[in-house]
Amino acid sequence: MEIFNEDIVDLRNFIESKENEGRKVRLLDSEDGDRRLSTFLKKDEASIVFIEDTWLELGNPKKFSTAPVLVTDNLDLVNDGNVTLIGPDISETRGSLPFAQILLLASDSLQDEAYTKLNSFQYELELKGYMIKAMPSSLLIWSRVSNDNARNGFSFEILGKTIINNYKSKFDIPFVEIIFITSSKEDVEQLKDLHYKVKRIVGAMTKMLEEMHFDCSSCEYLDVCGDVRQLSALRKKLIKKKQGGNS
Amino acid sequence: MRDTITIAMCGKGGVGKTTTAALMVKTLAERGDKKILAIDADPAIGLSYALGINVDKTVDDVRNNLIQKVKEKKIGDRDDTLRMLDYELFDVLVEQGKFSLLAIGRPEGEGCYCEVNTLLKDIIESLSSNFDVIIIDGEAGIEQINRRVMKIVDHLVLVSDTSSKGLNVAKVIKKVAHDNQVVDYKSTGLLLNRIRDEEEVNTIMKQQDIDLFGWIPEDELIREYDFSGKSYLDFPETSPIGKVVQDILDSFIINGGAAMSG
Ligand SMILES: Nc1ncnc2c1ncn2[C@@H]1O[C@H](COP(=O)(O)OP(=O)(O)OP(=O)(O)O)[C@@H](O)[C@H]1O
Ligand SMILES: [Mg+2]
């Protein structure tokens, strides 16, 4: 898949520009990070983190949030295992923040059809004291970190590494990287172009995979399909499959 | 899993369902030891208003939004749909710290899109399991007894004033609920409202074969709260009505539903 190659390059430039503007950009990789992952595994029965038990809320629907998954078959574009944070970490702030969670996945053996699954898999998290609500097809993410978690040292490093490990074990993806942005509303909102582009692509793919007729003249995704060569290729492939299945 | 107790107010229009539901929420919120969910199942969202909450989104809005997406084929697989509903429903939930509120809005339509309603019901149920006590302010009349939201009820409170019409509706609701076994009730009983004196209660109960949960007098303060649109969360603890409500709640929560003898 190469639909997102340019976006990944743009994203690197974005991160660099933030660093130049003086934002705190950190690669989170502490010595005991991996060891501490297991402390937060598996939820207690109650899945809700109520507002009165919340230390930090990320991406409330009243604020902007985005959670794009960018997949590529160019292994050079992804720094495997990296967890990058722009903005404050969980222990360093409280309240409610806008939120971006960007996943970069590289593999040379992924099928395009797997993309919508890869997109929603980031929300399948079993972490204590971390409530996650999401609209995968709208790329919206909304989460809460409990007071207990903050006290016990839950961090973006732990969150990021858990997600990375999940992808590796479930999909056997060799290169997984994650970037979190909590610095400011403006910073997160600068990702709007990327957000809407990815959202359109997810929408077009979802429609193709769910729907059985491909009448392009009446399809609202005609424009993205035209722009993104790979989408029309996927469409052709699916039509072929369908015809093969029908005969 | 919590052992959630669900209490629903039912009865004729205007008998005091919303008032008593609001007083129950207030009483429990004050105690502060339980996670409380108030469900406003009246399309006129009276309970929300009585608790001083501005509702800008209801479960019905979530449902309509989903139906629209289904129509436009903008929805992925079942997991995706469930996640979306879970997100939106949580957004509809108003968290007040001491309690949370969910406004249902218009009740579910009949016929098509029952898949949507089933998904919604599942999500409301799983949301509900995070609370200790759920107070439902029902819509007036008896139809709602068939609706899914009522299926989770443990204690059915039949609110009535002293009018024969009010008492009759209570009787019919009880009969419908029990005959159809719509609900697996732990208890059903009358909450008599706007009562003059104890004698009036005795006279009424002689002619009823329903248990009595309790009675509330005609009260000047309730009138005033209603008139000035004050939130029942500020209703004074010193009011004798608080004690009535407290006793009823205790019987549900502590004794699992022992009614006073009629
Ligand atoms: N004990 C009481 N003393 C005085 N007024 C009361 C009492 N109980 C209820 N009322 C008044 O009666 C009116 C109807 O009460 P309420 O709104 O609680 O009834 P309801 O059953 O929820 O009505 P609806 O069916 O329209 O939802 C309100 O104006 C309320 O203030
Ligand atoms: Mg009412």
Side-chain angles (χ1 to χ4, degrees), chain B residues 12-19 21 40 42 44-47 137-140:
Chain B
K12 189 178 90 68
V15 291
K17 300 180 291 294
T18 300
T19 307
D40 190 346
D42 179 352
I45 47 174
L47 181 62
D137 178 21
E139 201 183 340

Side-chain angles (χ1 to χ4, degrees), chain B residues 32-71:
Chain B
D33 59 339
K34 305 270 181 217
K35 290 251 179 262
I36 307 145
L37 174 63
I39 296 186
D40 190 346
D42 179 352
I45 47 174
L47 181 62
S48 311
Y49 188 72
L51 294 168
I53 294 170
N54 265 330
V55 167
D56 48 26
K57 227 168 135 195
T58 66
V59 174
D60 186 46
D61 295 325
V62 174
R63 175 177 28 243
N64 290 335
N65 189 6
L66 178 66
I67 289 173
Q68 195 56 38
K69 284 200 168 144
V70 170
K71 278 184 186 159

Side-chain angles (χ1 to χ4, degrees), chain A residues 59-94:
Chain A
N60 182 287
K62 290 181 185 72
K63 306 202 157 127
F64 182 66
S65 75
T66 185
V69 174
L70 308 179
V71 182
T72 175
D73 43 23
N74 183 346
L75 305 182
D76 292 336
L77 289 177
V78 176
N79 302 320
D80 184 43
N82 276 14
V83 179
T84 303
L85 172 65
I86 306 179
D89 206 336
I90 290 162
S91 64
E92 299 160 354
T93 185
R94 269 201 93 149

